[in-house]
Amino acid sequence: PKLSLLVLLFSIVSIFSFGQKRTIEHRDFDTWKRINGTSISDDGNYVLHQLTPGKGDATLVITNQKGSAILKYPRGENGTFTSDSKFVVFSIKPSLEFSDSLRRYKVKKDKIPGDSIGIYNLSSGKLVKYPQVKGFTVPDKWAGAVFFQTLDPLPIASDSVKSKTKKIPQNGKNGNHLIVYQPESGKMDSIKFVLSYSIAKEGNKFLYELSGKENQQGVYYRNLNNSEPKPLFRGKGTFENLTLDNRGDQIAFLYDGKKQKDNVDFELKYWTMGMDSAITKVFSGTSGFPKGSFLSKNGSLTFSDNGSEIFMGTATPLLVQDSLKLSEEIIQVELWNYKNSRLHTQQNVELNRDKRSSYSAVYHILSNKFISLGSSEIPMIRNNFNKNANVSLGVSQEKYLKLRSWEGSLPYDIYLIDHKTGKSTLIKEAAYGFPSISPNGNYFYWFDEKTNQLMAYSVQKQSLNVLNKDLNQTFTDERDDHPDLASAYGFAGMTSDEKELLIYDRYDIWSFSPENKTAPIKITDGRKNNIVYRYQHLDRENPGIDLGSLLLHTFNEVTKAEGFATYEGKKKKIAVHFSEDYSFGRVSKARNSKQIVYTKGNFNTFPDLQYTDLDFKNPLKISDANPEKSQYLWGSVELYTWTSLDGIELQGLLYKPEGFDPKKKYPLMVNFYERNSDNLHNHAGIVPHRSSINPVFYASRGYVVFIPDIVYRIGYPGESCYNAVIPGITSLIGEGFINKDKIGTQGHSWGGYQVAYLITKTDIFAAAESGAPVVNMISAYGGIRWGSGLSRMFQYEHTQSRIGGTLWEYPVRYMENSPIFWMDKVNTPVLIMHNDNDAAVPWYQGIEMYTALRRLDKPSWMLNYNGEPHWPTKWENIRDFNIRMQQFFDYYLMDQPIPKWMNEGIPALNKGIDDGLELVR
């Protein structure tokens, strides 16, 4: 009797505790917060982050090294530490509710309040604010000033200080006030009518352009220690790309005094310490300047790190429309020529890019010499990271662009470009791997995915070396199942001394000598235990790798556990810090200390911020983004294993409701794409997915959710999906807790195609949602991906669709894998979502499916969110899609009432007025 009483009491307590939790609702999507904008101060003593809800105002949070939040500021965003770690500068947004209310009352855009700026003193806790701010800039490597522009003559200070300065009307065309605020002293300078400005990376100097409204138009230079501005150039015209070298001792900018509208003919103006004013160094008539070209504002104007060179861009003039022609006299015709390297549709998509394109060039300051580096034949120029080398890397795909329509991968021609002469030397023709340049510019390297060769080119010796020719090891994706070249796992990078090149295989990191001076070695040993090691680059200033100590991220392919380890170069050993059933986000390190910050989460634990040092001792949780999680029915996730009809052992993710009872029968939701089981420890959160179900949301509502992995056989993608997914479902049914009559499936894009295919082959599903599906591979094959303008051929022959050849080579494969030909076999109610501005999958594919089902009188509905792309992007549309999808599945799988939109529809007359979401009881 006593034991029975204890059991009864325990049951009552459990029921009471369970009863305190509730089902996740759509309204919860609005309040669930994400962490973004994370930053750690240079001294490592402070961390800031931004809490952003699904809908509403963000909150800026600043935390000290003890984990205490010293500031939580509503509507704070874009926080930035000053380099001395004394202040935080951030934007203060108007409240979303207030801004929306003004818009509802049709208040003009220029009358709606803009952002303010907040400058917070980390030691005193004092906050200074200024309104109507147009962005801000915080120097990267020097402290003492914050720069921002404002519409007011002088910004209104904090509550203790009011400015009575008379307002001077300004607008964006004639400039705005540039405020130079020194937070330590509170000193503030206001410079009127500033059109643009630029600050030095390391020295406390800055440059600005005046519109000429009060002071003479031109470019002016200031040293923060000297309040007197120095005019570098005065004159009417157009100024662009104000640039300083790292220390701010040299200046360059583009100038055109002709004030032309089109094809502006710029000059490169240059100034350095000791000169009275800026002088012209490069113009279209300069020796070596490409004929018929001009200096382009769209080219990047930068100094090399040692200040000896200035890089810029040149361009050829664009043809200009005859302004005297009437609109009806202008012939609007597209000429599609089979010889063109790019389809006209692709040219249209890339039109603005083409208009802005420029070719790299360099000006040598000491020798006063201009050299063109890039050209139409070699348009891509890559400099080494510190830009101090005498060579550049040239890359071109121009000869192969036409193949882009039907080839999955295109090769690159790789060139050595000499800075002193501009001479280009072909290093490798048709390399199937994009090249990189070493930290000091002494080597180019790439992995050729076609030949499986690791290549390194020595600039000094002008020799090309194969580094892995005697090594029996693959460095491309071992599990790739596309009829295309397998992708390389990639590089960790090259050491700072350029003696070792680090590359990944599936599990490990290998070290190679770029000139084959030593034998390659495997510095990790993850393959024997299925552990994947990947390098974590922490030093923002150094692109090279220090082998003395490498922080490594680890991932166990079997258990999906993640963690961190350190490779100790001198001992050639790996010290494992931990491996846990969690997922860890990117590590950020303080510039001047060992302190780091990263996220740690899993299915049940939100990925909050962890603060520690590189020894990972006593990590401290310093954020609590969603404490309300404990009130929700959440569920659990586990790996599920079965064998496909092809005899392959597969894994999938199985989500179960909270309080799962194996003796009950649950409705099952099946969602898939390709492989997802590695995401076991990912945190889904209460986030409305734009194109897929949220497993947490559905588990909370009492569904079991299954996300199976799929492997593919070339030529038979639909059948491969069937052979993987259906036995997984039947295996689950055999477990005894699935209601075999209440199974639904959902997928989008490639997943949407597979859903459409499955329901033509099986009646196992009681309901299906197919988002943006390709149902007719024959009509889709010759179409265009409107987002890129590319032909869709390559996708079917080589990439995701995996047919493996052309339509005329394998017509039967295209037909067999096209669900449209078997729509009469569908007995599953279908919800389709396909939007009319879809740039990835033409929405007429969804129309083909819907009209076929409609003619066959099959229960079917189609959602088209007008003007939306491949998936809904507007928050309200995303919410609406999630609500309708849930109502659809609840009706068929949960025996809930049918919603009005399913029962009656929404006529065009009532679109946007009547949503039809009410349930018909």
Side-chain angles (χ1 to χ4, degrees), residues 393-395 411-416 425-438 443-459 463-468 475 488 490-491 494 501-503 512 514:
L393 167 65
V395 184
Y412 302 90
D413 291 341
I414 302 173
Y415 295 85
L416 171 72
T425 302
L426 179 64
I427 295 171
K428 180 66 177 177
E429 187 175 20
Y432 280 84
F434 191 83
S436 298
I437 188 167
S438 63
Y443 297 95
F444 304 156
Y445 59 90
W446 64 92
F447 187 85
D448 194 304
E449 295 168 353
K450 188 172 186 177
T451 62
N452 290 302
Q453 291 179 326
L454 176 57
M455 310 296 295
Y457 177 82
S458 170
V459 171
S463 60
L464 183 60
N465 300 308
V466 180
L467 307 187
N468 64 328
F475 294 94
F491 292 92
M494 186 172 273
L501 175 61
L502 305 185
I503 189 174
F512 289 83

Side-chain angles (χ1 to χ4, degrees), residues 82-86 139-146 183-184 202 204 224:
T82 56
S83 64
D84 57 5
S85 304
K86 293 182 178 180
D140 182 41
K141 299 183 74 173
W142 60 276
V146 175
E184 199 86 72
E202 298 174 0
N204 57 351
L224 196 67

Side-chain angles (χ1 to χ4, degrees), residues 445-681:
Y445 59 90
W446 64 92
F447 187 85
D448 194 304
E449 295 168 353
K450 188 172 186 177
T451 62
N452 290 302
Q453 291 179 326
L454 176 57
M455 310 296 295
Y457 177 82
S458 170
V459 171
Q460 294 179 350
K461 296 182 179 180
Q462 296 192 12
S463 60
L464 183 60
N465 300 308
V466 180
L467 307 187
N468 64 328
K469 60 182 177 181
D470 297 321
L471 185 66
N472 185 25
Q473 174 62 49
T474 180
F475 294 94
T476 58
D477 189 349
E478 297 176 15
R479 301 188 300 176
D480 186 84
D481 52 16
H482 299 86
D484 194 13
L485 300 177
S487 299
Y489 288 105
F491 292 92
M494 186 172 273
T495 55
S496 298
D497 60 11
E498 300 193 339
K499 291 182 179 180
E500 298 183 62
L501 175 61
L502 305 185
I503 189 174
Y504 302 123
D505 71 9
R506 178 174 175 176
Y507 298 99
D508 292 302
I509 304 174
W510 291 75
S511 172
F512 289 83
S513 164
E515 296 189 25
N516 283 326
K517 291 183 177 179
T518 57
I521 60 170
K522 187 170 60 172
I523 69 173
T524 60
D525 193 18
R527 186 173 289 270
K528 67 179 181 182
N529 294 315
N530 302 109
I531 305 296
V532 179
Y533 287 95
R534 293 297 181 258
Y535 169 61
Q536 303 288 287
H537 195 96
L538 303 178
D539 190 344
R540 292 177 288 172
E541 306 302 320
N542 181 16
I545 296 174
D546 178 9
L547 271 182
S549 179
L550 299 183
L551 179 63
L552 307 176
H553 175 269
T554 65
F555 175 78
N556 188 310
E557 280 193 348
V558 177
T559 67
K560 317 303 180 185
E562 297 185 28
F564 292 102
T566 297
Y567 172 75
E568 300 173 359
K570 290 184 178 180
K571 299 179 181 179
K572 299 190 182 302
K573 289 184 178 180
I574 292 178
V576 177
H577 297 296
F578 56 81
S579 179
E580 301 172 349
D581 290 336
Y582 286 90
S583 178
F584 297 92
R586 179 181 176 273
V587 177
S588 295
K589 177 185 170 296
R591 178 180 269 156
N592 301 323
S593 75
K594 293 177 62 177
Q595 269 57 48
I596 59 174
V597 63
Y598 58 92
T599 59
K600 173 183 178 181
N602 59 19
F603 175 75
N604 284 301
T605 306
F606 180 85
D608 276 303
L609 294 170
Q610 308 289 319
Y611 174 79
T612 183
D613 59 24
L614 287 173
D615 295 324
F616 288 89
K617 293 180 180 178
N618 304 315
L620 180 66
K621 178 185 168 186
I622 59 170
S623 69
D624 191 13
N626 294 292
E628 70 274 19
K629 177 191 169 296
S630 60
Q631 74 186 42
Y632 300 121
L633 294 171
W634 202 262
S636 62
V637 65
E638 61 193 61
L639 281 176
Y640 188 76
T641 304
W642 73 100
T643 302
S644 76
L645 294 179
D646 296 317
I648 302 170
E649 186 176 275
L650 297 175
Q651 290 182 318
L653 301 179
L654 189 63
Y655 299 84
K656 295 177 179 178
E658 191 154 331
F660 174 79
D661 182 353
K663 296 179 180 179
K664 287 181 60 177
K665 298 286 187 181
Y666 292 89
L668 175 68
M669 280 293 301
V670 185
N671 169 268
F672 42 79
Y673 196 79
E674 293 194 3
R675 287 190 176 103
N676 285 282
S677 61
D678 284 354
N679 299 324
L680 174 68
H681 298 308

Side-chain angles (χ1 to χ4, degrees), residues 16-75:
F16 178 80
S17 300
F18 187 77
Q20 300 305 300
K21 295 186 177 184
R22 66 173 179 84
T23 300
I24 298 170
E25 304 292 344
H26 291 282
R27 56 186 166 89
D28 300 316
F29 291 139
D30 289 347
T31 57
W32 187 262
K33 292 172 285 295
R34 305 179 303 278
I35 291 178
N36 47 29
T38 302
S39 179
I40 186 169
S41 61
D42 283 1
D43 65 3
N45 291 331
Y46 300 94
V47 175
L48 65 80
H49 66 279
Q50 187 176 305
L51 294 177
T52 307
K55 184 178 182 180
D57 302 319
T59 298
L60 183 79
V61 182
I62 304 174
T63 308
N64 63 19
Q65 58 186 337
K66 296 180 180 179
S68 300
I70 59 175
L71 179 70
K72 291 184 178 180
Y73 201 90
R75 299 179 287 111

Side-chain angles (χ1 to χ4, degrees), residues 1 19 96 134 215 342 355 416 504 513 593 627 659 690 700 713:
L96 181 63
K134 183 185 171 184
N215 294 313
R342 293 180 296 163
K355 288 180 178 179
L416 171 72
Y504 302 123
S513 164
S593 75
R690 60 194 181 183
S700 182
R713 187 160 59 102

Side-chain angles (χ1 to χ4, degrees), residues 204-216:
N204 57 351
K205 295 125 184 177
F206 63 99
L207 194 63
Y208 57 92
E209 174 196 356
L210 294 182
S211 66
K213 183 69 176 179
E214 286 192 349
N215 294 313
Q216 189 170 351

